[in-house]
Amino acid sequence: MPERTLRIFRGTPEASTYQEFTVEMYEGMVVLDAIHEIQAEHANDLAVRWNCKAGRCGSCSAEINGKPQLMCMARMDKLDRSKPITVEPMRRFPLIRDLVTDVSWNYEVNKRIPPFKPQPRGPDGKHRMQQIDVERIQEFHKCIECFLCQDVCHVMRDHGRYDFAGPRFLIRIASLVMHPLDTENRLRELKDSFGLGYCNITQCCTEVCPEDIRITDNAIIPLKERVAGEFYDPVAWLWRLLRGKKADTRDTVH
Ligand code: SF4
Ligand code: SF4
Ligand code: FES
């Protein structure tokens, strides 16, 4: 059976190194299988976070050969055979140990998002929405919170802008802004508190998303359009002034 060498990041914020381990390959093997084998045979203390081993829980995010991806979905036979496979923790988040990082900052951002505020129910006691609206926001609900998009986004990764909510939370906000029953206007917060303007739509977040959510095209660009319409469109501004109130920025339900 062929063998593959893995070069794994080991250590804490105080001291770190890379260690190489060799494993025997088998058909269908993924990087998380190799990590488990290394844990069992060579390094019992290797810290790694995982749960489902099926691409569902979003726990096993790491950087494999420099690319943010899920270890349980990364097939060993698809990775460059000319060199050892490098496995590192997500660079964007504070290191705890080995492959485990502290992603709790994400939960703090999530708490700052104003919750869903639905319109009153209809006379029959029900809420109704069009199927087209259901489908549009359903894509955003596929998120497994792996935070790979947060890890890759250069706004935080390279420029350290922690006042930017990041792509994961922009899709969460999009799912609320595009919800036809929601009554909260989140556009000012998007502009002022969640840093939407920092995103320069490079698409890197979309490229790493294991759920194939079209983060940039379907969430961020429409949000940017709404913010531009709300705050920078002179015709809309004049219209609001004449009407004496803020125009409804939510989509019209047909
Ligand atoms: S498109 Fe925007 S959110 Fe996505 S990685 Fe690029 S800058 Fe970040
Ligand atoms: S949007 Fe995609 S990459 Fe980002 S956290 Fe959700 S599933 Fe992961
Ligand atoms: S272990 Fe759950 S997504 Fe990888």
Side-chain angles (χ1 to χ4, degrees), residues 143-149 168 171 208-211 213 215:
C143 175
I144 58 171
E145 295 209 319
C146 63
F147 304 129
L148 291 170
C149 57
R168 188 284 170 262
I171 64 163
V208 300
C209 178
E211 288 297 307
I213 301 170
I215 303 169

Side-chain angles (χ1 to χ4, degrees), residues 77-122:
D77 57 1
K78 302 272 188 254
L79 297 168
D80 185 353
R81 286 163 195 259
S82 66
K83 57 181 185 187
I85 299 165
T86 301
V87 187
E88 298 164 299
M90 288 192 283
R91 181 145 69 88
R92 155 72 182 81
F93 301 110
L95 177 68
I96 296 177
R97 190 160 70 86
D98 299 341
L99 301 176
V100 179
T101 52
D102 176 2
V103 295
S104 57
W105 173 81
N106 292 287
Y107 305 120
E108 297 307 317
V109 176
N110 195 36
K111 280 188 219 160
R112 290 201 285 119
I113 298 175
F116 180 54
K117 197 164 142 196
Q119 316 173 345
R121 292 177 189 275

Side-chain angles (χ1 to χ4, degrees), residues 50-53 55-60 70 72:
W50 70 283
N51 198 326
C52 67
K53 207 175 167 289
R56 302 313 318 151
C57 73
S59 310
C60 67
L70 297 176
C72 69

